[in-house]
Amino acid sequence: MVTDAYPQVNLCFRVDSSHSMGTGHVMRCLTLANELARRGAKVSFICRDLPGNLAPYVMEQGYQVFMLPGPDDRAYAQTWLQVDWRTDALQTAELLREAGPVDGLIIDQYGIDQQWETLAGEHAGKIVVIDDLADRLHQCDMLLDPNLSADGHRYQGLVPNHCMQLLGTSYTLLRPEFRAVKPQLPERDGSINRILIFFGGTDPTRETIKTLHALQSSAFADLHLDVVAGGMNRNKDDIAALCRTMPKASFHCQIDYMAELMQKADLSIGAGGSTTWERCYLGLPSLSIITADNQREITTLVHEQGATRCLGSSADVTPLRIEQELKGLLADPSLVKGMSEQALQIMGEDKGNEVIDRIMGGDYGRHSRLYA
């Protein structure tokens, strides 16, 4: 429904997902898209046709998805875009013309920088970039970095002077389900009876199976396990089969009740991606494994703050290491309770609605107002 406060605006997301890239970027964009659509925006997506992409799921949520063709040049196979940046920008520009006029282009793609934004941005009123690496130049009107490391100097020299920067964990994009359960959080006393295991939508390094092997130890026989896998996880059938051999393990696939599972859990074992902030928002202590280089800074910072125990990179973490760390936490409830308290402190004031208000109102960037 279009509200009286804002006329309908046409917003387009440029974001990708795949077996190797994971699904976190698309999922956080969907969180933002749902809130924008609820305020009356017309929302569509531009995604490249990569193996294991979430385009069908995005369409199931009611959004039009414009597909870029799959890559055909192996020279770019290890890059984020998986094609030449100019090719991607020109292909995106063509789709923006088809979807247009586009008032705002929202980009969540590590392979996109100032060159791309300058070329494709000619076909959008304003550009919003979601980033957390701070490793490249941008030509954008708003930059959103909802991570612990983000401060007023992080993007100095990387964005134009007119760019509005929304930085820090207060701007984390959270689905309404998380805000709904926050007032119902139990008082965590540090005891561990229920563990949530989730390594993102695709888990390409098979951390879920590794963790389940660790938890087959008789020392953990009384623990209830909630094991979550994304629909695009190529090992989900093996995970489900392994769960069936463990009497207190429950398997969940492509769910919409993650907040409920986090609320019930006493500890989470998972990757160091965007789920980190969902865990912190609900005060859920965790053991974290770095499954991609872009998770390293975030996970290290949260570890230093005492809200998680980082076990290191996936290639170096064995089932025995997971077993030993978990035994240590089971023996020290005061440590686990402290981790929960630190997690809650990390998040600060919830300013998620400010992101929506500013994008819908257009009061940022080069002009005081975009949508006339």
Side-chain angles (χ1 to χ4, degrees):
M1 176 183 294
V2 180
T3 67
D4 292 335
Y6 308 112
Q8 187 177 54
V9 296
N10 187 8
L11 302 172
C12 189
F13 285 81
R14 174 68 188 93
V15 61
D16 288 321
S17 56
S18 69
H19 286 306
S20 59
M21 188 183 305
T23 61
H25 295 273
V26 166
M27 294 306 293
R28 71 179 175 185
C29 284
L30 271 175
T31 298
L32 180 56
N34 290 339
E35 288 302 302
L36 292 167
R38 190 178 65 82
R39 299 280 191 99
K42 177 184 177 183
V43 176
S44 59
F45 284 73
I46 296 176
C47 304
R48 189 163 296 282
D49 189 7
L50 302 174
N53 72 81
L54 277 186
Y57 180 75
V58 175
M59 288 186 279
E60 287 175 9
Q61 308 310 303
Y63 298 108
Q64 183 174 10
V65 180
F66 298 92
M67 295 301 294
L68 299 168
D72 57 8
D73 187 343
R74 292 188 177 181
Y76 297 97
Q78 302 304 313
T79 65
W80 285 106
L81 284 174
Q82 299 196 23
V83 297
D84 172 68
W85 74 266
R86 186 179 297 276
T87 298
D88 193 283
L90 291 173
Q91 290 174 341
T92 300
E94 183 177 345
L95 292 178
L96 288 172
R97 286 192 293 268
E98 182 180 340
V102 173
D103 298 306
L105 174 62
I106 303 171
I107 300 168
D108 191 347
Q109 228 292 357
Y110 291 147
I112 289 177
D113 64 6
Q114 180 187 48
Q115 297 178 98
W116 189 105
E117 291 152 2
T118 300
L119 182 55
E122 295 179 2
H123 304 281
K126 287 192 178 180
I127 292 180
V128 177
V129 169
I130 303 173
D131 188 25
D132 47 43
L133 297 182
D135 64 349
R136 60 204 187 279
L137 294 170
H138 289 291
Q139 184 61 44
C140 59
D141 301 290
M142 178 191 290
L143 187 137
L144 171 64
D145 183 345
N147 289 310
L148 186 63
S149 59
D151 59 39
H153 303 290
R154 183 166 166 81
Y155 289 89
Q156 187 172 354
L158 298 180
V159 297
N161 291 334
H162 69 259
C163 176
M164 173 177 286
Q165 300 179 46
L166 302 181
L167 310 176
T169 54
S170 292
Y171 294 104
T172 299
L173 300 173
L174 294 163
R175 297 190 299 279
E177 62 179 279
F178 287 91
R179 293 189 174 92
V181 304
K182 182 72 174 278
Q184 307 162 24
L185 281 181
E187 182 175 348
R188 303 189 189 277
D189 61 7
S191 60
I192 300 174
N193 299 295
R194 193 179 190 108
I195 296 178
L196 170 66
I197 300 169
F198 176 57
F199 284 92
T202 59
D203 186 14
T205 57
R206 295 170 56 92
E207 300 307 305
T208 306
I209 290 176
K210 180 193 297 183
T211 301
L212 287 173
H213 285 318
L215 293 180
Q216 287 179 318
S217 167
S218 59
F220 310 132
D222 293 331
L223 298 178
H224 184 91
L225 309 178
D226 286 303
V227 184
V228 181
M232 302 309 295
N233 188 321
R234 287 182 284 192
N235 302 301
K236 60 181 181 293
D237 292 340
D238 292 338
I239 294 170
L242 187 52
C243 285
R244 288 194 291 271
T245 70
M246 304 174 71
K248 292 198 172 185
S250 300
F251 176 70
H252 312 263
C253 186
Q254 198 61 48
I255 61 173
D256 60 2
Y257 50 89
M258 181 66 80
E260 179 184 339
L261 294 182
M262 287 190 180
Q263 178 196 30
K264 293 178 179 179
D266 303 306
L267 179 77
S268 177
I269 305 177
S274 57
T275 308
T276 296
W277 310 122
E278 296 170 350
R279 295 190 296 246
C280 287
Y281 184 75
L282 296 182
L284 180 59
S286 61
L287 294 177
S288 297
I289 298 174
I290 299 169
T291 60
D293 285 342
N294 60 288
Q295 298 173 2
R296 188 172 306 279
E297 181 183 18
I298 294 171
T299 309
T300 300
L301 285 169
V302 177
H303 172 87
E304 291 172 351
Q305 291 291 318
T308 191
R309 295 291 291 270
C310 176
L311 306 189
S313 298
S314 58
D316 301 323
V317 178
T318 63
L320 179 60
R321 175 72 190 284
I322 297 171
E323 179 183 343
Q324 291 172 336
E325 288 288 338
L326 181 53
K327 285 180 178 178
L329 293 183
L330 285 168
D332 194 347
S334 62
L335 172 62
V336 179
K337 183 178 180 181
M339 292 169 68
S340 176
E341 293 169 350
Q342 287 300 115
L344 290 170
Q345 289 182 16
I346 280 174
M347 297 307 293
E349 181 185 357
D350 185 356
K351 297 182 180 179
N353 284 331
E354 182 181 337
V355 179
I356 311 302
D357 290 339
R358 292 194 178 279
I359 293 176
M360 289 299 296
D363 56 342
Y364 60 92
R366 289 164 291 187
H367 310 290
S368 61
R369 188 167 179 82
L370 169 62
Y371 315 120

